[in-house]
Short mmCIF file of all heavy atoms in Angstrom, two decimals:
data_model
loop_
_atom_site.label_atom_id
_atom_site.label_comp_id
_atom_site.label_asym_id
_atom_site.label_seq_id
_atom_site.Cartn_x
_atom_site.Cartn_y
_atom_site.Cartn_z
N VAL A 4 0.63 8.18 1.53
CA VAL A 4 0.05 9.35 0.88
C VAL A 4 0.06 10.55 1.82
O VAL A 4 -0.40 10.45 2.96
CB VAL A 4 -1.41 9.05 0.43
CG1 VAL A 4 -2.01 10.26 -0.26
CG2 VAL A 4 -1.45 7.83 -0.47
N ALA A 5 0.56 11.67 1.32
CA ALA A 5 0.55 12.91 2.08
C ALA A 5 -0.56 13.82 1.56
O ALA A 5 -0.71 13.98 0.34
CB ALA A 5 1.89 13.63 1.95
N PHE A 6 -1.33 14.38 2.46
CA PHE A 6 -2.28 15.43 2.12
C PHE A 6 -1.68 16.75 2.58
O PHE A 6 -1.28 16.87 3.75
CB PHE A 6 -3.62 15.21 2.83
CG PHE A 6 -4.53 14.25 2.14
CD1 PHE A 6 -4.37 12.89 2.30
CD2 PHE A 6 -5.56 14.70 1.33
CE1 PHE A 6 -5.21 11.98 1.68
CE2 PHE A 6 -6.41 13.81 0.70
CZ PHE A 6 -6.24 12.45 0.86
N LEU A 7 -1.61 17.73 1.68
CA LEU A 7 -1.12 19.06 2.04
C LEU A 7 -2.33 19.90 2.44
O LEU A 7 -3.27 20.04 1.66
CB LEU A 7 -0.40 19.72 0.87
CG LEU A 7 0.91 19.07 0.44
CD1 LEU A 7 1.52 19.84 -0.73
CD2 LEU A 7 1.89 19.00 1.59
N LEU A 8 -2.27 20.47 3.63
CA LEU A 8 -3.47 21.13 4.16
C LEU A 8 -3.13 22.39 4.94
O LEU A 8 -2.09 22.47 5.59
CB LEU A 8 -4.18 20.13 5.10
CG LEU A 8 -5.70 20.19 5.17
CD1 LEU A 8 -6.34 20.00 3.80
CD2 LEU A 8 -6.22 19.14 6.13
N ALA A 9 -4.04 23.35 4.85
CA ALA A 9 -4.00 24.58 5.66
C ALA A 9 -5.46 24.94 5.95
O ALA A 9 -6.38 24.35 5.38
CB ALA A 9 -3.30 25.71 4.91
N ASP A 10 -5.66 25.90 6.83
CA ASP A 10 -7.02 26.34 7.15
C ASP A 10 -7.77 26.75 5.89
O ASP A 10 -7.17 27.18 4.90
CB ASP A 10 -6.98 27.53 8.11
CG ASP A 10 -6.81 27.11 9.56
OD1 ASP A 10 -7.25 26.01 9.94
OD2 ASP A 10 -6.21 27.90 10.33
N GLN A 11 -9.10 26.63 5.96
CA GLN A 11 -10.01 27.03 4.91
C GLN A 11 -9.98 26.12 3.68
O GLN A 11 -10.34 26.53 2.57
CB GLN A 11 -9.80 28.50 4.50
CG GLN A 11 -10.16 29.48 5.61
CD GLN A 11 -11.64 29.38 5.98
OE1 GLN A 11 -12.51 29.53 5.14
NE2 GLN A 11 -11.91 29.09 7.25
N PHE A 12 -9.54 24.85 3.88
CA PHE A 12 -9.63 23.88 2.80
C PHE A 12 -11.10 23.60 2.50
O PHE A 12 -11.97 23.84 3.34
CB PHE A 12 -8.89 22.59 3.16
CG PHE A 12 -9.38 21.91 4.40
CD1 PHE A 12 -10.41 20.99 4.37
CD2 PHE A 12 -8.80 22.21 5.64
CE1 PHE A 12 -10.86 20.35 5.52
CE2 PHE A 12 -9.24 21.58 6.80
CZ PHE A 12 -10.28 20.67 6.75
N GLU A 13 -11.37 23.12 1.30
CA GLU A 13 -12.73 22.70 0.92
C GLU A 13 -12.96 21.33 1.55
O GLU A 13 -12.31 20.36 1.17
CB GLU A 13 -12.88 22.65 -0.59
CG GLU A 13 -14.27 22.26 -1.05
CD GLU A 13 -15.36 23.22 -0.58
OE1 GLU A 13 -15.20 24.45 -0.73
OE2 GLU A 13 -16.36 22.72 -0.02
N ASP A 14 -13.89 21.25 2.49
CA ASP A 14 -14.09 20.06 3.32
C ASP A 14 -14.24 18.77 2.51
O ASP A 14 -13.54 17.79 2.78
CB ASP A 14 -15.30 20.25 4.23
CG ASP A 14 -15.13 21.42 5.17
OD1 ASP A 14 -14.94 22.55 4.68
OD2 ASP A 14 -15.20 21.23 6.38
N SER A 15 -15.15 18.73 1.55
CA SER A 15 -15.40 17.48 0.83
C SER A 15 -14.18 17.05 0.02
O SER A 15 -13.95 15.85 -0.16
CB SER A 15 -16.63 17.60 -0.08
OG SER A 15 -16.39 18.49 -1.15
N GLU A 16 -13.40 18.01 -0.45
CA GLU A 16 -12.21 17.68 -1.26
C GLU A 16 -11.09 17.08 -0.41
O GLU A 16 -10.16 16.50 -0.94
CB GLU A 16 -11.72 18.93 -2.00
CG GLU A 16 -12.72 19.41 -3.03
CD GLU A 16 -12.38 20.75 -3.64
OE1 GLU A 16 -11.36 21.37 -3.25
OE2 GLU A 16 -13.14 21.18 -4.52
N MET A 17 -11.20 17.23 0.90
CA MET A 17 -10.31 16.55 1.84
C MET A 17 -10.97 15.28 2.35
O MET A 17 -10.40 14.19 2.29
CB MET A 17 -9.95 17.48 3.00
CG MET A 17 -9.12 16.84 4.10
SD MET A 17 -7.53 16.27 3.47
CE MET A 17 -6.90 15.42 4.91
N ASP A 18 -12.19 15.42 2.86
CA ASP A 18 -12.89 14.31 3.51
C ASP A 18 -13.05 13.09 2.60
O ASP A 18 -12.74 11.97 3.01
CB ASP A 18 -14.28 14.74 3.98
CG ASP A 18 -14.26 15.84 5.03
OD1 ASP A 18 -13.20 16.10 5.63
OD2 ASP A 18 -15.33 16.46 5.24
N ASN A 19 -13.53 13.30 1.39
CA ASN A 19 -13.86 12.16 0.52
C ASN A 19 -12.63 11.41 0.00
O ASN A 19 -12.59 10.18 0.08
CB ASN A 19 -14.80 12.59 -0.60
CG ASN A 19 -16.15 13.02 -0.03
OD1 ASN A 19 -16.60 12.52 0.99
ND2 ASN A 19 -16.79 13.98 -0.69
N PRO A 20 -11.61 12.10 -0.51
CA PRO A 20 -10.40 11.35 -0.90
C PRO A 20 -9.73 10.68 0.30
O PRO A 20 -9.26 9.55 0.20
CB PRO A 20 -9.49 12.42 -1.52
CG PRO A 20 -10.41 13.49 -1.97
CD PRO A 20 -11.53 13.50 -0.96
N TYR A 21 -9.69 11.37 1.43
CA TYR A 21 -9.09 10.81 2.65
C TYR A 21 -9.77 9.49 3.01
O TYR A 21 -9.10 8.47 3.22
CB TYR A 21 -9.23 11.83 3.79
CG TYR A 21 -8.61 11.40 5.10
CD1 TYR A 21 -7.35 11.84 5.47
CD2 TYR A 21 -9.30 10.56 5.99
CE1 TYR A 21 -6.78 11.46 6.67
CE2 TYR A 21 -8.74 10.18 7.19
CZ TYR A 21 -7.48 10.64 7.53
OH TYR A 21 -6.92 10.25 8.72
N LYS A 22 -11.10 9.51 3.08
CA LYS A 22 -11.85 8.30 3.44
C LYS A 22 -11.63 7.18 2.42
O LYS A 22 -11.43 6.02 2.79
CB LYS A 22 -13.34 8.61 3.56
CG LYS A 22 -13.68 9.42 4.78
CD LYS A 22 -15.15 9.81 4.78
CE LYS A 22 -15.42 10.82 5.88
NZ LYS A 22 -16.72 11.48 5.73
N ALA A 23 -11.66 7.52 1.14
CA ALA A 23 -11.48 6.50 0.10
C ALA A 23 -10.10 5.87 0.16
O ALA A 23 -9.96 4.64 0.03
CB ALA A 23 -11.72 7.12 -1.28
N LEU A 24 -9.07 6.67 0.37
CA LEU A 24 -7.71 6.14 0.45
C LEU A 24 -7.51 5.32 1.72
O LEU A 24 -6.86 4.28 1.69
CB LEU A 24 -6.70 7.28 0.36
CG LEU A 24 -6.62 7.95 -1.01
CD1 LEU A 24 -5.83 9.25 -0.93
CD2 LEU A 24 -6.02 7.02 -2.02
N GLU A 25 -8.08 5.79 2.81
CA GLU A 25 -7.98 5.05 4.07
C GLU A 25 -8.68 3.69 3.94
O GLU A 25 -8.14 2.67 4.34
CB GLU A 25 -8.61 5.88 5.19
CG GLU A 25 -8.41 5.31 6.58
CD GLU A 25 -8.95 6.25 7.63
OE1 GLU A 25 -10.13 6.65 7.56
OE2 GLU A 25 -8.18 6.59 8.54
N GLU A 26 -9.88 3.68 3.34
CA GLU A 26 -10.62 2.43 3.15
C GLU A 26 -9.87 1.47 2.23
O GLU A 26 -9.99 0.25 2.37
CB GLU A 26 -12.01 2.72 2.59
CG GLU A 26 -12.95 3.32 3.61
CD GLU A 26 -14.27 3.79 3.02
OE1 GLU A 26 -14.54 3.53 1.83
OE2 GLU A 26 -15.05 4.43 3.76
N ALA A 27 -9.10 2.01 1.30
CA ALA A 27 -8.32 1.17 0.38
C ALA A 27 -7.03 0.66 1.03
O ALA A 27 -6.29 -0.10 0.40
CB ALA A 27 -7.99 1.96 -0.90
#
Side-chain angles (χ1 to χ4, degrees):
V4 181
F6 277 81
L7 293 181
L8 213 58
D10 278 330
Q11 294 298 304
F12 59 88
E13 182 60 49
D14 299 58
S15 68
E16 294 171 358
M17 175 62 186
D18 298 344
N19 295 329
Y21 182 98
K22 288 175 190 166
L24 290 168
E25 188 175 54
E26 287 172 7

